[in-house]
Amino acid sequence: MSDVMESPRRILSQLEVLESEAIYIIREVVAEIERPALMFSGGKDSLVMLHLARKAFAPAAVPMAILHVDTGHNFPEVLDFRDKIVAQYSLNLVVGSVQDAIDRGTVKEEPNGTRNRTQTPVLLETAEKYGFNALLGGARRDEEKARAKERIFSFRDEFGQWDPKKQRPELWNLFNARVHVGESIRVFPLSNWTELDIWEYIAAEGIEVPSIYYAHEREVFERNGMLFAANEFCRPMAAEPTFVESVRYRTVGDATLTAAVRSQADTVEKVLDEVASTRITERGATRGDDRVSEAAMEDRKKEGYF
Amino acid sequence: MDLLRFATAGSVDDGKSTLIGRLLYDSKSIFTDQLEGVERASREMGSEYTELSLLTDGLRAEREQGITIDVAYRYFATPARKFIIADTPGHIQYTRNMVTGASTADLAIVLVDARKGLVEQSRRHAFLVSLLQVPHLVLAVNKMDLVGYSREVYENIRREFTEFAAKLQIADLTVIPVSALHGDNVVDRSENMPWYEGAALLNHLENVYIASDRNLVDGRFPVQHVIRPHSSQFHDYRGYAGKIAGGVMRTGDEVIVLPSGLPSRISSIETADGPVDEAFAPMSVTVRLEDDIDISRGDMICRPNNQPRITQDIDAMVAWMSDEPMRPGQKLALKHTTRNTRALVKSVQYELDVNTLHRNESCAELKLNSIGRVRLRTTTPLLTDEYRRNRETGGFVLIDEHTNNTVGAGMIVHA
Ligand SMILES: Nc1nc2c(ncn2[C@@H]2O[C@H](COP(=O)(O)OP(=O)(O)OP(=O)(O)O)[C@@H](O)[C@H]2O)c(=O)[nH]1
Ligand SMILES: [Mg+2]
């Protein structure tokens, strides 16, 4: 007992607790599920998740495939960054392409040209093709009110659908990974992280993220109170004048739907300050897709979205 | 900064979600777009005021019915602490979700409606909180505005609850009179109840001492995954990955691997950031041993002079969560630490009446939402501690082998 007295507290910081919890969850997936894959968009949350997966199995390689659902509506900086990371860590990258699926006729382009919803059938199709029965996602409960309700191991039926009224009880950290053939599990190791935790961790671990997360000058225009980049995916209408502004992205999604925020934060320290003092949620500030209705996210998740 | 996880509990409509909404609102933890969304939804519902409960009741069905169905997790921080909130449903039909939210909590807030006093569901939840060994309990006597902030009403409920709690294992009980709707004693101390001398809820949450709640005595390391890199650089590397479930493990410690009983010594404790001298709960690490012995997932590394019980006969309190009752003769899948096995229900010894805590020994089965004592026989031995000594090595879940649903939560008792 004497040395227990020397350092009686032995308290971990919240980042250490969250890291340890996420590593435990990722290891649990690999131990219990035959063919898991890690969903990777090149965005900050998926980069943190990949970093945690590398830590979980070090010095061995990450023992699962990396799955990117490519909407074809990408920020070039993010796609380049994805390829760099894949090469750097010799990852096994699997791509499900929305464009290919549209060309093959397995999914239809949405009338408004956005590809957020078309991601879902492509995700399910790709998972089925490769036999992935567990998909690790970087979604966080603080992002959105339907996500706030989801289990860490989230059961999906044969159609990939989430039923919020029939979630399995999830006690302690004893996760139930059992599924029948055709069913699957989505696993969210970052469930308990907030946007601020993510940035504190990025800063503490020196994790590199795509340049669009830091302030830079960009030609933008205003729509629905949000700033969109003027580019091939998003063309301003006549009444939407463009201007150059110092902006950064808080999330990275379908480029036709993801807005930038005004920012001067060009270093990780400045981003941390900005995130700590912001009064608007990251999806509220930047996502056109959540503005469709109050329950837009819940409805998408019921269709199989992550 | 350290982290406190807490959960709400109590009967339907006692104001749990409103309390969480008020806590977030008054501590300025709500984002403007979230608040606008809730204000809009409140107006559309025809409410006279902003329904703060909508901050956590985010599902369509919850808003239609005006109740919480499943746990919502919310996050906020003050300069003192980070908080993870689990706002759980009060309706008896969703007890399984309340248990989910409370199972990982350091503290539970049991709410009671001051007009109604203790009802069966308040007792059930208080009992579940004590059964789950949530270390700290706050009884929040809510809706004080509707009883004229009466000290007498408060004192009567406090007395009744304290009497009930004396029969439970509750280590730390604090009672606070609040109005979740108006914010009395939530973040700021109430001017309407000068007779109350204690702290407001947030102040209590910021200061409650949780560092000694973990078990730092009994060294327990359930092996989660064996790391074998299969690379030329790490050709002979073999490490045991897992999360410490109890005690403090140090490099150089003599250990024993269970259930094989083989002895060895810890040669290093590693993380991706390099080796550490010691590890304790809840750290995820990789332990390496001096000897090459056969170890796989589900085994446990312990200290030779402090071992868990190795047994196939399990006595436990079970909270049953399936429509199909639990019956003797039934076979179930069981998950305990990192070990998966099967269990046969040998007997249901008694069911507890949550109102009186009376043991009904004539009952042969456990129905949905009931709690009772059972005896199980597992196909492989488990490495167990009493749940009240260690939540990690004393808790297990039961899974229906046909539906794959989680149907029971078990807490081991050493008979
Ligand atoms: N007057 C008054 N009303 C309150 C107070 N707290 C909550 N309410 C009201 O009580 C009703 C139920 O509140 P909720 O917060 O939804 O109750 P709950 O405990 O979360 O209910 P479930 O989650 O469904 O079990 C709402 O209409 C609240 O506005 C209070 O302190 N005073
Ligand atoms: Mg509620």
Side-chain angles (χ1 to χ4, degrees):
Chain A
M1 287 305 276
S2 64
D3 39 350
V4 177
M5 299 304 289
E6 277 166 38
S7 128
R9 276 170 66 84
R10 290 201 169 93
I11 295 177
L12 301 180
S13 72
Q14 110 269 1
L15 274 190
E16 290 170 318
V17 172
L18 292 172
E19 179 190 62
S20 171
E21 177 181 273
I23 287 176
Y24 172 82
I25 293 164
I26 295 168
R27 285 171 171 170
E28 208 56 13
V29 172
V30 166
E32 294 232 328
I33 298 176
E34 224 168 305
R35 283 186 68 80
L38 186 147
M39 292 192 275
F40 185 75
S41 64
K44 64 181 189 314
D45 302 312
S46 61
L47 281 158
V48 165
M49 187 166 62
L50 178 63
H51 183 84
L52 290 161
R54 289 181 34 241
K55 282 190 143 185
F57 302 102
V62 175
M64 61 187 133
I66 307 298
L67 169 62
H68 182 216
V69 178
D70 181 354
T71 58
H73 293 169
N74 296 300
F75 294 93
E77 297 91 335
V78 178
L79 211 54
D80 292 348
F81 193 82
R82 178 198 80 183
D83 293 337
K84 186 184 105 170
I85 293 286
V86 165
Q88 188 176 345
Y89 301 118
S90 318
L91 302 171
N92 168 20
L93 176 72
V94 168
V95 178
S97 161
V98 174
Q99 188 61 54
D100 278 3
I102 290 170
D103 296 345
R104 278 184 282 116
T106 55
V107 301
K108 278 210 184 65
E109 187 96 74
E110 289 277 301
N112 62 5
T114 66
R115 291 181 173 176
N116 205 315
R117 280 186 64 195
T118 42
Q119 281 184 84
T120 302
V122 176
L123 172 72
L124 299 176
E125 187 182 284
T126 314
E128 192 177 321
K129 177 170 159 198
Y130 291 91
F132 298 138
N133 52 0
L135 297 175
L136 284 149
R140 312 186 319 266
R141 287 170 173 160
D142 81 321
E143 280 179 72
E144 204 283 330
K145 59 188 179 305
R147 287 198 162 152
K149 294 267 164 184
E150 196 164 8
R151 298 283 187 260
I152 292 175
F153 274 51
S154 180
F155 173 78
R156 302 301 174 100
D157 67 11
E158 306 93 304
F159 303 97
Q161 300 181 117
W162 180 57
D163 184 348
K165 290 181 78 171
K166 272 205 215 140
Q167 298 199 84
R168 290 175 174 175
E170 190 164 83
L171 284 113
W172 304 292
N173 44 37
L174 294 173
F175 300 111
N176 178 354
R178 292 169 63 115
V179 291
H180 292 297
V181 178
E183 300 166 343
S184 63
I185 299 272
R186 300 283 167 85
V187 183
F188 302 108
L190 305 180
S191 286
N192 289 323
W193 297 52
T194 63
E195 185 188 15
L196 187 58
D197 293 326
I198 292 287
W199 277 105
E200 284 179 358
Y201 193 68
I202 287 171
E205 297 283 299
I207 299 170
E208 210 188 328
V209 297
S211 56
I212 65 168
Y213 280 110
Y214 296 109
H216 56 283
E217 304 234 298
R218 192 176 278 262
E219 189 182 6
V220 294
F221 63 92
E222 211 170 310
R223 178 178 292 169
N224 300 331
M226 292 184 282
L227 291 183
F228 287 91
N231 58 28
E232 56 175 306
F233 305 116
C234 221
R235 293 188 206 283
M237 290 182 287
E240 295 174 327
T242 67
F243 48 97
V244 173
E245 184 67 64
S246 176
V247 297
R248 67 175 205 90
Y249 284 86
R250 279 175 76 183
T251 65
V252 170
D254 180 320
T256 62
L257 286 168
T258 309
V261 294
R262 282 192 179 81
S263 171
Q264 302 294 332
D266 55 1
T267 64
V268 70
E269 291 77 24
K270 290 185 199 166
V271 171
L272 264 177
D273 283 345
E274 191 184 281
V275 172
S277 60
T278 184
R279 297 310 314 145
I280 184 154
T281 65
E282 64 175 45
R283 296 191 78 92
T286 66
R287 289 300 182 91
D289 46 333
D290 287 351
R291 299 204 167 180
V292 179
S293 79
E294 268 295 298
M297 174 66 87
E298 179 179 343
D299 294 342
R300 285 205 304 278
K301 288 181 91 66
K302 286 177 182 163
E303 291 170 4
Y305 189 73
F306 26 88
Chain B
M1 220 181 339
D2 72 337
L3 185 65
L4 180 89
R5 297 181 200 239
F6 69 93
T8 57
S11 189
V12 69
D13 275 353
D14 283 354
K16 298 176 288 298
S17 302
T18 308
L19 180 72
I20 295 312
R22 174 56 68 180
L23 195 57
L24 294 168
Y25 184 80
D26 285 358
S27 64
K28 304 190 172 43
S29 312
I30 299 177
F31 294 93
T32 49
D33 53 318
Q34 288 174 332
L35 189 61
E36 282 163 17
V38 166
E39 283 168 351
R40 204 179 321 115
S42 301
R43 273 196 306 277
E44 282 164 12
M45 285 166 43
S47 175
E48 287 168 26
Y49 46 82
T50 302
E51 279 287 353
L52 291 172
S53 59
L54 297 181
L55 281 163
T56 54
D57 291 342
L59 296 174
R60 216 186 259 286
E62 292 180 323
R63 292 186 168 193
E64 280 164 13
Q65 297 171 44
I67 59 164
T68 305
I69 291 173
D70 210 331
V71 196
Y73 293 90
R74 295 294 306 233
Y75 306 83
F76 81 110
T78 67
R81 246 179 197 160
K82 279 248 177 185
F83 298 95
I84 299 181
I85 309 171
D87 180 33
T88 77
H91 200 290
I92 184 164
Q93 188 184 344
Y94 306 116
T95 304
R96 60 180 188 277
N97 299 334
M98 177 273 175
V99 171
T100 292
S103 70
T104 51
D106 302 305
L107 179 147
I109 305 172
V110 176
L111 278 86
V112 173
D113 183 331
R115 295 170 305 173
K116 296 186 199 152
L118 290 188
V119 296
E120 173 169 324
Q121 193 64 350
S122 344
R123 292 201 174 85
R124 174 176 282 107
H125 278 189
F127 178 64
L128 281 165
V129 164
S130 84
L131 190 68
L132 289 163
Q133 295 275 309
V134 177
H136 308 274
L137 194 155
V138 173
L139 175 73
V141 180
N142 188 33
K143 308 200 185 182
M144 287 301 292
D145 55 302
L146 296 180
V147 295
Y149 298 102
S150 157
R151 177 174 198 169
E152 197 190 334
V153 171
Y154 166 77
E155 290 295 346
N156 284 338
I157 293 173
R158 190 172 73 95
R159 199 170 322 113
E160 196 187 351
F161 189 84
T162 311
E163 272 166 31
F164 180 69
K167 297 186 235 165
L168 308 174
Q169 289 168 343
I170 291 171
D172 174 31
L173 171 66
T174 303
V175 189
I176 308 179
V178 301
S179 167
L181 189 66
H182 300 295
D184 297 82
N185 287 333
V186 178
V187 168
D188 301 309
R189 291 213 33 199
S190 170
E191 289 171 7
N192 295 314
M193 292 175 275
W195 45 264
Y196 171 73
E197 289 173 352
L201 177 65
L202 180 61
N203 188 273
H204 180 69
L205 296 174
E206 288 182 320
N207 291 303
V208 59
Y209 187 72
I210 55 168
S212 55
D213 296 343
R214 279 164 309 163
N215 181 321
L216 290 172
V217 176
D218 311 314
R220 300 285 184 266
F221 185 73
V223 174
Q224 199 183 359
H225 177 75
V226 182
I227 294 182
R228 305 272 341 238
H230 304 290
S231 66
S232 48
Q233 193 192 347
F234 295 100
H235 193 75
D236 293 322
Y237 187 100
R238 184 198 285 245
Y240 306 103
K243 188 151 75 70
I244 307 269
V248 180
M249 305 289 230
R250 292 185 200 76
T251 304
D253 275 356
E254 267 181 50
V255 293
I256 182 164
V257 180
L258 297 175
S260 69
L262 294 170
S264 188
R265 192 182 288 274
I266 296 179
S267 59
S268 64
I269 302 176
E270 297 178 3
T271 71
D273 302 312
V276 291
D277 293 333
E278 61 164 43
F280 48 88
M283 287 169 70
S284 281
V285 294
T286 300
V287 169
R288 302 187 67 196
L289 300 182
E290 283 181 1
D291 309 279
D292 250 342
I293 42 187
D294 178 9
I295 302 178
S296 49
R297 175 173 167 85
D299 291 352
M300 198 184 284
I301 298 174
C302 307
R303 305 294 303 277
N305 55 2
N306 177 342
Q307 298 183 26
R309 188 181 281 192
I310 306 181
T311 177
Q312 287 171 256
D313 294 300
I314 308 294
D315 287 293
M317 295 300 296
V318 165
W320 189 249
M321 307 185 287
S322 165
D323 294 331
E324 286 284 304
M326 181 184 203
R327 291 197 181 95
Q330 194 174 21
K331 294 188 182 86
L332 295 154
L334 183 153
K335 186 169 182 183
H336 171 254
T337 66
T338 54
R339 188 168 270 250
N340 287 298
T341 184
R342 299 180 72 206
L344 170 70
V345 180
K346 300 286 283 184
S347 62
V348 173
Q349 279 142 305
Y350 59 82
E351 185 197 335
L352 269 177
D353 179 323
V354 293
N355 270 312
T356 58
L357 301 179
H358 175 79
R359 296 173 180 185
N360 174 8
E361 296 184 3
S362 62
C363 97
E365 53 179 47
L366 282 187
K367 291 194 198 62
L368 175 68
N369 298 325
S370 59
I371 300 152
R373 173 79 173 259
V374 303
R375 178 162 291 168
L376 308 171
R377 171 87 185 169
T378 56
T379 50
T380 51
L382 300 184
L383 309 161
T384 70
D385 290 300
E386 287 211 281
Y387 182 81
R388 64 161 177 231
R389 187 154 177 96
N390 190 325
R391 279 162 115 181
E392 307 266 332
T393 51
F396 61 86
V397 292
L398 296 165
I399 297 167
D400 183 305
E401 294 185 307
H402 305 290
T403 64
N404 286 332
N405 265 329
T406 306
V407 291
M411 285 139 278
I412 294 170
V413 181
H414 281 178

